[in-house]
């Protein structure tokens, strides 16, 4: 039985007749009227054996024989849904060989002009790449300056043959690379939605990279049209104003080595193909090739993170490590508690700090560390903090930090022991616009300057402030499907390429992401491997995360590398000899090194793939071999779903009962190494 889904479009004048299948029976199972009463008064669908005419006019009627009305629509009526397994029979034995769609227009002026936008294809294609046999990675780079009228990409397609691992396309503007689309060419090679935020104008550069492997080959592989050759194609489907329309453009220029030194790291990371897509058949020219599942599954081993056991080269003399960040110079910033620690007696039942008599931490709580050697470059933060928690460095290397004892978010400049601005009232917990209750982390939007605060242990919200500290908005969990409130929102990270803010919702064992501007819920990542707890997250194209010890669902405590788009766990890592005890924060550098701060062991661990990036030249052709840092997004193209129904106004009053205890007292074996908090404060803040 064949199914035939019929769609009306309001671009036909008065009448249209078109044949239906006659060699077999077919069934109409759905009607979708794509029209508006602003131009269309009503539409009628007829079925018949012989139409009166096959042109665009129905002045003499619709059918030579009896016309059977099958569907009618008028006045912006909603679509009619047929019951399941119900359809109108047409075709071979039904007596209906034609559909005739009769449209009565109320206003035909909308159809007198040209189509305002015309679609086209821009193809970036490598023609000179040579893949050497046995070479693990070869890059094919293509780039051209764009010199025409603006285009608006809305879809992309990648194409290679068997050796291709990933193809990525970008727009480069003012030195900034913006992803158009990214896909494994071993997946079905359809057009996928492009990053809708990308436009291309005169002066931009369009660039693409195809990553190949020559492993298993015994001879050179060239670009060509047969299945034994290779291809490197990145297609951009775009639209542009009809008066400037160009239906096809192409780029076949080899990109310069200098330009591609700045390509985002994501372009170098192969995309795993899940087992459900394995062994799919793809047609390459006249040949049919079955994908080799074993070769595709080896990607993980090539990019596994391992601990750098010799880092740091000398002891850093740290207290409980609560926060990590990177400054604008790619140095590691460590936030630690010196000789203070969070214990069972640190707070009372109203979340008020009970150890003020100890005074502030006299050691430098903020250390700027060389990420390669671990040597201390700068130190600051003396006599400023009581119980540090989260830290973020902005583009001017100013530090935004949270202190759970002070119940404050504070701002200080690089290397200075002075607070320049503080949000919240010192030592006074609360839940209103001017108070926090054990806030956990800060994220700063480098473009708008807006400040996001996760608040925290005894509140369950994310609060947004302007750059000058003015309260703007707040929200709790916005997952409309379940509306599960935050249970210790513990770590924040801004995704600048997606304009989203993501939170490690610790005790719910999940990562949730929201539109930074509105707080609208976007997605949730929750994995059994997390074991019910996610302590911290970071982002550099990929999501990096660490979990923690869970009494209810014991799993290994590890670091995770996660594909934002697919939510797949790409890699896990942990120390070689020791074990994580309480990994509290995570950060990654531009070269692919990952750092984890452990509050319990008072340590910072470094992990890296420790591989090299070099190039070789053969017969004047440069072939880059990548054995570099495995970081970046495995984005299959940014899919931007509509968020209708997700809009949130203000803040939901969320229950925080039971959300404030990191561990019960009776279960604690070493109170110095555990964090505690208190019951929620009264709703009316003092």
């Amino acid at each position: 039985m064949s199914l035939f889904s019929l769609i009306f479009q309001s671009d036909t004048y008065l009448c249209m007749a078109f044949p239906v299948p006659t060699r077999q029976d077919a069934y109409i199972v759905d009607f979708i009227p794509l029209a508006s009463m602003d131009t269309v008064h009503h539409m009628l669908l007829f079925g018949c054996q012989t139409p009166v005419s096959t042109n665009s006019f129905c002045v003499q009627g619709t059918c030579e024989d009896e016309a059977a009305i099958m569907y009618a629509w008028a006045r912006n009526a909603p679509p009619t849904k047929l019951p399941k397994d119900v359809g109108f029979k047409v075709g071979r034995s039904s007596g209906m060989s034609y559909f005739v769609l009769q449209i009565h227009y109320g206003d035909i002026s909308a159809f007198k002009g040209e189509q305002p936008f015309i679609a086209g294809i821009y193809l970036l294609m490598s023609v000179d790449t040579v893949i050497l046999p046995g070479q693990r990675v070869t890059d094919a780079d293509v780039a051209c300056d764009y010199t025409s009228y603006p285009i608006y990409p809305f879809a992309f397609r990648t194409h290679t043959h068997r050796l291709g691992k990933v193809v990525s396309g970008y727009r480069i503007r003012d030195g900034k690379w913006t992803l158009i689309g990214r896909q494994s060419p071993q997946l079905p090679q359809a057009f996928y939605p492009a990053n809708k935020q990308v436009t291309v104008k005169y002066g931009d550069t369009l660039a693409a990279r195809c990553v190949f492997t020559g492993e298993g080959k015994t001879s050179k592989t060239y670009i060509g049209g047969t299945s034994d050759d290779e291809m490197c194609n990145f297609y951009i489907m775009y639209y542009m104003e009809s008066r400037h329309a160009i239906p096809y453009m192409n780029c076949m220029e080899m990109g310069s080595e200098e330009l591609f030194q700045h390509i985002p790291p994501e372009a170098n990371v192969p995309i795993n193909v899940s087992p459900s897509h394995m062994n799919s058949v793809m047609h390459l020219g006249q040949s049919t090739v079955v994908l080799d599942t074993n070769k595709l599954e080896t990607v993980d081993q090539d990019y596994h993170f391992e601990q750098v056991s010799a880092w740091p080269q000398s002891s850093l003399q740290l207290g409980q490590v609560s926060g990590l960040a990177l400054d604008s110079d790619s140095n590691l910033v460590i936030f630690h508690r010196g000789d203070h620690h969070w214990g069972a007696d640190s707070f009372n039942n109203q979340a008020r700090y009970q150890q003020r008599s100890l005074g502030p931490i006299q050691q430098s709580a903020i250390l700027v560390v060389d990420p390669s050697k671990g040597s201390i470059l700068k130190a600051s933060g003396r006599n400023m903090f009581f119980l540090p928690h989260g830290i973020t460095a902005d583009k001017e290397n100013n530090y935004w930090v949270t202190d759970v004892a002070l119940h404050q978010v504070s701002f200080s400049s690089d290397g200075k022991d002075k607070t320049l601005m503080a949000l919240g009232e010192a030592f006074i917990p609360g839940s209103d616009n001017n108070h926090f209750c054990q806030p956990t982390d800060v994220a700063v939007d480098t473009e708008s300057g807006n400040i996001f605060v996760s608040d925290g242990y005894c509140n369950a919200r994310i609060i947004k402030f302007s750059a000058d500290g003015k309260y703007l908005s707040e929200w709790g969990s916005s997952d409309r499907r379940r509306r599960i409130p935050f249970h210790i929102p513990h770590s924040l990270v801004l995704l600048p390429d997606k304009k989203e803010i993501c939170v490690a919702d610790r005790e719910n064992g999940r990562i949730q992401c929201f539109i930074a501007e509105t707080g609208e819920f976007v997605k949730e990542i929750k994995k059994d491997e997390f074991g019910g707890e996610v302590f911290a997250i970071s982002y550099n194209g990929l999501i990096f995360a660490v979990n923690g010890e869970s009494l209810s669902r014991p799993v290994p405590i590890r670091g995770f590398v996660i594909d934002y788009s697919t939510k797949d766990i790409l890699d896990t890592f942990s120390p070689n000899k020791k074990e994580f005890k309480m990994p509290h924060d995570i950060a990654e550098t531009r070269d692919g090194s990952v750092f984890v701060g452990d509050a319990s062991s008072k340590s910072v661990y470094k992990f890296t793939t420790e591989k090299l990036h070099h190039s070789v030249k053969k017969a004047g052709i440069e072939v880059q071999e990548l054995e570099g840092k495995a970081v970046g997004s495995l984005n299959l193209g940014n899919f931007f779903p509509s968020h209708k129904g997700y809009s949130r106004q203000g803040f939901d009053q969320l229950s925080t009962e039971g959300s404030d205890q990191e561990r019960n007292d009776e279960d604690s074996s070493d109170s110095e190494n555990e964090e505690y908090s208190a019951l929620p404060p009264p709703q009316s803040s003092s």
Side-chain angles (χ1 to χ4, degrees):
M1 179 178 70
S2 299
L3 300 181
F4 182 79
S5 185
L6 185 65
I7 299 177
F8 301 152
Q9 293 187 357
S10 58
D11 59 357
T12 307
Y13 184 66
L14 292 182
C15 208
M16 173 175 279
F18 48 95
V20 299
T22 55
R23 295 183 179 180
Q24 59 183 355
D25 289 332
Y27 301 86
I28 300 175
V29 298
D30 200 11
F31 299 95
I32 306 175
L34 302 180
S36 167
M37 66 178 295
D38 294 336
T39 54
V40 176
H41 185 272
H42 68 265
M43 297 190 295
L44 296 170
L45 178 68
F46 300 90
C48 59
Q49 188 69 36
T50 307
V52 170
S53 173
T54 56
N55 61 28
S56 300
F57 299 94
C58 314
V59 292
Q60 297 180 355
T62 55
C63 300
E64 294 283 0
D65 52 329
E66 183 178 357
I69 295 179
M70 305 180 67
Y71 186 70
W73 175 92
R75 301 187 62 81
N76 289 342
T80 300
K81 303 297 293 185
L82 275 65
K84 184 180 180 181
D85 298 328
V86 174
F88 286 92
K89 186 177 181 180
V90 297
R92 185 180 62 181
S93 60
S94 67
M96 294 186 187
S97 301
Y98 278 85
F99 294 126
V100 179
L101 178 63
Q102 185 184 76
I103 305 175
H104 290 195
Y105 288 110
D107 179 9
I108 64 171
S109 61
F111 303 97
K112 293 182 178 179
E114 295 183 357
Q115 191 78 8
F117 299 101
I118 302 298
I121 296 290
Y122 191 112
L123 171 60
L124 293 97
M125 178 173 60
S126 174
V127 295
D128 297 320
T129 298
V130 179
I131 303 168
L132 300 180
Q135 184 162 287
R136 176 177 294 172
V137 175
T138 295
D139 298 334
D141 295 336
V142 187
C144 290
D145 294 334
Y146 185 75
T147 57
S148 187
Y149 291 95
I151 61 174
Y152 305 89
F154 62 90
F156 75 96
R157 176 180 179 265
T158 66
H159 178 68
T160 72
H161 294 177
R162 283 171 290 182
L163 304 184
K165 292 296 186 180
V166 62
V167 181
S168 309
Y170 296 88
R171 180 206 68 193
I172 308 172
R173 178 180 296 172
D174 299 327
K176 181 180 179 181
W177 293 64
T178 302
L179 183 71
I180 296 174
R182 170 179 170 75
Q183 181 63 285
S184 167
Q186 306 303 337
L187 290 170
Q189 296 183 6
F191 275 94
Y192 291 86
N195 182 345
K196 294 182 181 178
Q197 296 180 337
V198 177
T199 61
V200 181
K201 65 180 182 180
Y202 185 95
D204 292 340
T205 299
L206 289 172
R209 166 170 284 181
C210 301
V211 177
F212 297 98
T213 181
E215 291 182 322
K217 299 290 291 184
T218 57
S219 60
K220 294 179 181 179
T221 304
Y222 299 89
I223 298 295
T226 74
S227 60
D228 293 326
D229 298 319
E230 265 300 338
M231 299 188 75
C232 169
N233 295 353
F234 185 83
Y235 297 83
I236 302 171
M237 188 178 289
Y238 63 84
Y239 66 86
M240 62 193 307
E241 292 186 11
S242 58
R243 57 179 174 167
H244 304 310
I246 303 173
Y248 175 76
M249 292 180 273
N250 64 60
C251 170
M252 292 181 286
E253 297 179 14
M254 180 182 294
S256 69
E257 181 180 0
E258 180 181 2
L259 176 68
F260 278 85
Q261 285 179 350
H262 304 286
I263 192 171
E266 62 190 6
N268 302 323
V269 183
I271 293 178
N272 289 333
V273 180
S274 65
S276 62
H277 291 104
M278 296 297 185
N279 295 325
S280 59
V281 176
M282 302 174 63
H283 298 280
L284 306 177
Q286 300 299 316
S287 303
T288 299
V289 178
V290 179
L291 302 185
D292 187 335
T293 62
N294 294 324
K295 290 182 179 179
L296 291 175
E297 288 287 358
T298 64
V299 171
D300 286 344
Q301 296 179 357
D302 293 341
Y303 298 94
H304 177 60
F305 282 90
E306 293 285 350
Q307 182 189 359
V308 181
S309 57
W311 193 97
Q313 295 179 3
S314 59
S315 175
L316 293 173
Q317 297 296 314
L318 301 172
Q320 291 182 330
V321 179
S322 62
L324 298 178
L326 289 179
D327 64 17
S328 61
D329 301 316
S330 293
N331 294 318
L332 180 67
V333 183
I334 301 174
F335 199 28
H336 72 110
R337 295 172 182 157
D339 57 2
H340 287 205
H341 68 270
W342 189 341
D345 300 325
S346 296
F347 295 88
N348 67 10
N349 290 337
Q350 285 74 44
R352 292 179 181 268
Y353 186 56
Q354 299 296 292
Q355 297 168 334
R356 293 177 62 176
S357 60
L358 297 176
I361 299 169
Q362 295 182 12
Q363 299 97 328
S364 295
I366 299 175
L367 303 179
V368 180
V369 174
D370 179 357
S372 61
K373 298 180 180 179
S375 56
I376 297 176
L377 304 176
K378 287 181 286 188
S380 61
R382 296 184 62 184
N383 297 308
M384 294 175 63
F385 310 108
F386 285 79
L387 274 183
H389 203 277
I391 186 168
T392 286
D394 64 22
K395 58 185 178 182
E396 280 83 30
N397 284 349
N398 300 309
Y399 303 129
W400 294 87
V401 304
T402 63
D403 189 313
V404 292
L406 286 169
H407 303 289
Q408 283 185 321
V409 175
S410 61
F411 165 79
S412 62
S413 61
D414 183 19
K416 301 298 193 311
D417 296 332
K418 183 179 179 181
T419 297
L420 301 179
M421 181 175 71
L423 304 177
E425 186 176 358
F427 298 109
I428 305 299
S431 302
D432 58 24
N433 297 354
N434 301 312
H435 292 83
F436 304 103
C437 190
Q438 297 172 335
T440 53
D441 203 6
V442 185
V444 178
D445 188 332
T446 56
E447 293 186 5
S448 67
N450 289 337
I451 306 159
F452 299 85
V453 179
S454 50
D455 180 38
Y457 281 90
C458 40
N459 286 328
R461 58 181 179 171
I462 297 172
I463 314 175
K464 180 180 176 182
F465 298 89
S466 64
D468 58 359
K470 180 183 177 182
Y471 172 90
L472 297 177
S473 63
E474 61 183 82
W475 68 88
S477 171
S478 295
D479 184 344
R480 70 173 187 173
R481 296 167 298 175
R482 292 175 288 177
R483 297 191 180 277
I484 298 174
F486 291 140
H487 196 163
I488 308 183
H490 198 256
S491 173
L492 284 179
V493 65
L494 193 77
L495 281 55
D497 57 333
K498 302 179 180 1
K499 300 188 183 303
E500 295 176 13
I501 187 85
C502 294
V503 57
D505 186 13
R506 200 184 79 180
E507 298 301 308
N508 280 323
R510 64 186 180 181
I511 300 166
Q512 287 199 327
C513 298
F514 307 84
I515 297 176
E517 180 64 26
T518 63
E520 296 178 39
F521 175 80
V522 176
K523 72 188 318 178
E524 175 179 299
I525 302 174
K526 187 168 185 175
K527 297 290 186 178
D528 291 338
E529 291 88 342
F530 296 162
E533 294 203 0
V534 181
F535 267 64
I537 54 173
S538 185
Y539 179 78
N540 187 20
L542 296 170
I543 291 178
F544 295 82
V546 287
N547 66 342
E549 184 177 0
S550 174
L551 299 179
S552 59
R553 298 173 60 190
V555 298
I557 303 177
R558 298 177 291 179
F560 299 88
V561 185
I562 303 168
D563 181 349
Y564 170 90
S565 298
T566 66
K567 307 181 185 180
D568 291 336
I569 295 175
L570 307 176
D571 190 19
T572 61
F573 54 91
S574 58
N576 295 332
K577 296 181 180 179
K578 299 180 180 180
E579 294 182 350
F580 285 138
K581 293 184 178 179
M582 186 187 288
H584 205 263
D585 205 359
I586 187 169
E588 74 290 334
T589 60
R590 293 172 186 170
D591 71 351
S593 298
V594 176
F595 294 88
V596 176
D598 194 299
S600 183
S601 65
K602 302 178 182 179
S603 303
V604 177
Y605 298 91
K606 179 179 180 180
F607 301 86
T608 184
T609 55
E610 288 297 338
K611 295 184 181 179
L612 304 175
H613 190 163
H614 62 277
S615 62
V616 296
K617 287 189 176 181
K618 185 71 173 178
I621 299 173
E622 180 178 66
V623 181
Q624 289 193 343
E625 179 180 0
L626 174 72
E627 293 181 348
K629 312 301 183 182
V631 296
S633 169
L634 304 190
N635 194 342
L636 303 185
N638 290 334
F639 292 82
F640 293 90
S642 169
H643 296 292
K644 290 183 178 179
Y646 286 78
S647 178
R648 306 282 297 195
Q649 301 295 330
F651 166 57
D652 290 342
Q653 294 295 325
L654 301 174
S655 169
T656 57
E657 181 179 357
S659 67
D660 55 330
Q661 281 291 354
E662 181 163 323
R663 181 172 295 184
N664 295 327
D665 292 0
E666 60 268 25
D667 295 326
S668 177
S669 59
D670 185 357
S671 63
E672 179 176 345
N673 293 330
E674 306 301 334
E675 289 188 2
Y676 291 81
S677 64
L679 294 174
Q683 289 297 319
S684 59
S685 173
S686 58

